[in-house]
Amino acid sequence: MSLADTQRDFLGQILATPAPTLSEGMRVYHHAYRARLSGAMAETYAQVWAWLGDETFHSEARAYIEQHPSTQWSLDDYGQDFADFLAQRFPDDPEITELAWMDAALRQAFAAEDADILDATALMQVSDWETVRLLLNPALRHRPIRSNAPALWRALSKDETPPEVLYFEETSGLCVWKTALASRFRTLEADEYALICALAAGQGFAAACEGLTLRASDSDPTEQIGAWLGQWLTEGLVTGLAGTETTS
Amino acid sequence: MFPSVASFVGFGLGLRPPHYEAILASPPPIDFFEIISENFMIDGGRPLHVLDRVRADYPVAMHGVSMSLGSPEGPGPDYLRRLHALMRRVEPLWVSDHLCWTGVNGRNSHDLLPLPLTEAAMATVCRHIDRVQSFLQRPLLIENPSTYVTFAEDTYTEWGFLTELCRRTGCYLLLDLNNVFVSAHNHGFSAQAYLDGLPLERVRQVHLAGHSEGETLLIDTHDAPVPDGVWALWAKVAPRLSHAAVMIERDDEIPPLPELLAELDTARRLASPAVYV
């Protein structure tokens, strides 16, 4: 048997479910694989674990591990599909998926590239707003949500009693990013979230604004967008400008 | 040809997150830190900032667990690119990994799996060590793993395999005495014969660690203090390893820093036994 064949057979025995009859030595490897992956998932998914409780979380993590062999060298990358997996397992409880997504996104943001936030005075030097692009925080992750998962997450992370679960008719946006080495998150109402999505997809600022049809018809779009932009700068969501000449 | 890996004599600890605050607040009296390379092969974040601050005060050794030198594919380009970037950032004493494989065919066990000790495995490991050493432009240190099975087709002893690896690739050794102790128990060989068979002059670093007990096997869990058997092995071999750096390796059930410092004191004491007159 070639070395590669031996290794395929060996790893096959480790990954096999249920465990085949194995020697004590092979059982050590069979057990260690699952212990390592479930340990990594418990570390990443701390709040969804707290929400589901020990029994359900460990049962779901075990089921996930058996169905999802690790394919990356980095253990940190394991379990990235757990939120989608939970969405299938608990289709009527979107807060579970959204909590799992937050756990993973906050962890990813923690290890993402660091960036300085953009000084607001840089905007005053923009000469051509038609072509300027806002460079968003490299740690930014976002998704639409329809529950109060951020409030649940916040309470769970402080070991406080979480509020009652709420489901909303309209989806809003949830953004996770990092400033000063600390991960943070915020819920965005639909219009602001649509604009962030357009900017994150690489659209120029002017084009993204033009594509925005404000749902609140009585609000002044320019004033509203200006207010958002000011908040993004304060929060460190914008880290640079590109695609335009600036005056000196 | 690359420069040789210079000896560094000293006593160190692993840099682990539970100790970050204590280390930054009051740098402990040790000679070096060892990092798990993969924990810092990331794009940004607090661990890298902690590492930079620690590196300003201490020499740092880089120790990897994912190079998979014994798998057919060996380490991939993303892994090597990140390892190289970290190496340039840290300017480490050396870069080490294990005699093992971690996965095959795109599947990863995240474990240090045992190799059949055959000519085919020798050729594979040598090929990947050569490739990594050329990429990093420095020799690697290769660590002996704890193993729980052996292969009927083995034609080398583990110490014979490591000796030949050093000869063929110019690599050095990271000698884990706990792993020698565990594997000697599990496979019924003599730990002393293992140590006598190794080219100890190629050892640049020593790991001292604890283990746990299975049904009949010992298991390398790195979650316990260094046990008496490993201390005895260290006391016996220490005079022949006075050129090597020594550290206590603890990866789980990590105690407060003072407990590890006390273990390190024991390692120092056994390496320099008092002379009674």
Side-chain angles (χ1 to χ4, degrees):
Chain A
M1 194 187 281
S2 74
L3 176 62
D5 287 341
T6 300
Q7 291 172 325
R8 272 191 288 273
D9 181 63
F10 193 102
L11 192 57
Q13 292 187 51
I14 291 175
L15 298 180
T17 310
T21 303
L22 296 171
S23 66
E24 184 187 352
M26 286 304 293
R27 288 202 303 277
V28 172
Y29 293 112
H30 192 272
H31 170 76
Y33 172 74
R34 284 150 186 82
R36 197 164 279 116
L37 294 187
S38 64
M41 290 184 69
E43 203 171 311
T44 298
Y45 294 102
Q47 306 322 327
V48 83
W49 176 7
W51 182 250
L52 291 174
D54 290 349
E55 192 175 331
T56 304
F57 175 78
H58 290 305
S59 161
E60 293 302 323
R62 273 197 302 274
Y64 179 86
I65 288 166
E66 298 306 337
Q67 293 176 30
H68 297 78
S70 179
T71 57
Q72 307 292 324
W73 62 262
S74 171
L75 197 52
D76 283 348
D77 292 340
Y78 186 72
Q80 298 301 321
D81 299 325
F82 193 45
D84 292 339
F85 176 82
L86 291 173
Q88 292 182 7
R89 306 280 278 198
F90 302 97
D92 299 326
D93 305 289
E95 79 281 5
I96 295 175
T97 299
E98 291 168 7
L99 281 170
W101 181 88
M102 282 188 77
D103 275 335
L106 285 159
R107 193 171 174 83
Q108 290 164 10
F110 179 74
E113 182 187 340
D114 302 318
D116 294 327
I117 63 174
L118 184 67
D119 190 301
T121 56
L123 292 185
M124 297 166 68
Q125 297 175 342
V126 173
S127 60
D128 183 359
W129 280 95
E130 283 302 310
T131 59
V132 75
R133 277 195 310 120
L134 304 185
L135 300 180
L136 301 184
N137 192 303
L140 174 67
R141 274 94 175 121
H142 61 86
R143 68 161 282 157
I145 57 169
R146 57 194 184 95
S147 82
N148 60 337
L152 302 177
W153 194 98
R154 202 181 295 278
L156 292 165
S157 70
K158 295 177 181 170
D159 279 333
E160 294 171 356
T161 304
E164 188 183 345
V165 182
L166 300 175
Y167 302 130
F168 305 114
E169 285 293 315
E170 192 176 351
T171 60
S172 51
L174 175 58
C175 284
V176 166
W177 71 102
K178 172 174 64 173
T179 55
L181 304 182
S183 299
R184 53 192 297 176
F185 62 86
R186 179 166 72 82
T187 307
L188 286 65
E189 58 90 14
D191 288 332
E192 184 186 10
Y193 182 54
L195 189 52
I196 282 286
C197 287
L199 296 171
Q203 277 198 33
F205 183 66
C209 291
E210 279 168 22
L212 188 68
T213 309
L214 288 183
R215 294 162 199 229
S217 54
D218 56 342
S219 60
D220 175 348
T222 308
E223 190 177 319
Q224 179 61 77
I225 291 167
W228 287 334
L229 186 52
Q231 185 173 0
W232 299 343
L233 287 168
T234 305
E235 294 173 327
L237 264 171
V238 181
T239 53
L241 300 171
T244 185
E245 298 293 320
T246 57
T247 57
S248 56
Chain B
M1 201 60 192
F2 330 107
S4 58
V5 175
S7 284
F8 177 86
V9 178
F11 291 82
L13 290 176
L15 180 64
R16 303 290 183 264
H19 297 148
Y20 284 175
E21 293 303 329
I23 291 166
L24 295 180
S26 176
I30 65 172
D31 302 311
F32 73 100
F33 276 104
E34 181 195 81
I35 60 169
I36 302 294
S37 304
E38 287 81 359
N39 292 346
F40 300 89
M41 287 159 63
I42 50 181
D43 293 325
R46 185 164 176 270
L48 284 171
H49 286 254
V50 171
L51 175 59
D52 288 344
R53 288 181 61 184
V54 168
R55 180 65 187 92
D57 292 335
Y58 296 91
V60 168
M62 281 172 52
H63 183 53
V65 295
S66 306
M67 202 178 279
S68 198
L69 291 164
S71 66
E73 305 90 348
D78 174 61
Y79 182 86
L80 288 178
R81 182 180 58 76
R82 287 178 177 274
L83 184 69
H84 188 252
L86 183 64
M87 192 187 80
R88 292 187 63 162
R89 182 177 189 133
V90 171
E91 297 181 354
L93 290 169
W94 44 71
V95 178
S96 64
D97 209 294
H98 300 79
L99 175 64
C100 73
W101 59 289
T102 62
V104 67
N105 278 11
R107 299 276 194 260
N108 201 312
S109 72
H110 301 285
D111 202 351
L112 310 173
L113 301 177
L115 274 169
L117 300 176
T118 61
E119 280 303 335
M122 177 67 73
T124 295
V125 177
C126 284
R127 187 172 78 247
H128 294 315
I129 290 179
D130 285 341
R131 189 163 62 89
V132 174
Q133 291 186 155
S134 294
F135 186 77
L136 300 181
Q137 283 294 296
R138 62 163 66 206
L140 291 172
L141 270 61
I142 305 299
E143 178 180 347
N144 57 301
S146 281
T147 59
Y148 313 107
V149 299
T150 55
F151 296 84
E153 61 263 43
D154 285 357
T155 55
Y156 284 94
T157 58
E158 189 174 287
W159 58 93
F161 197 97
L162 288 165
T163 302
E164 185 63 9
L165 270 189
C166 291
R167 193 188 69 78
R168 292 194 193 183
T169 68
C171 71
Y172 290 77
L173 296 174
L174 193 169
L175 176 61
D176 188 315
L177 286 176
N178 175 61
N179 291 348
V180 173
F181 187 88
V182 165
S183 291
H185 171 90
N186 290 347
H187 308 312
F189 61 72
S190 156
Q192 193 58 52
Y194 190 111
L195 297 175
D196 289 343
L198 277 184
L200 294 183
E201 72 280 4
R202 303 295 292 183
V203 174
R204 288 291 175 271
Q205 188 180 351
V206 174
H207 277 170
L208 299 170
H211 53 256
S212 57
E213 295 183 8
E215 296 161 36
T216 64
L217 299 177
L218 296 182
I219 303 170
D220 171 37
T221 40
H222 285 184
D223 61 354
V226 180
D228 290 346
V230 176
W231 283 132
L233 214 49
W234 169 235
K236 203 163 183 185
V237 77
R240 297 159 68 194
L241 289 169
S242 57
H243 56 281
V246 181
M247 69 166 268
I248 306 294
E249 190 182 37
R250 184 73 76 86
D251 296 322
D252 216 342
E253 304 293 332
I254 295 175
L257 203 50
E259 282 187 40
L260 295 181
L261 291 170
E263 279 196 278
L264 203 55
D265 280 341
T266 304
R268 278 196 193 92
R269 186 168 46 78
L270 292 172
S272 310
V275 177
Y276 296 100
V277 293

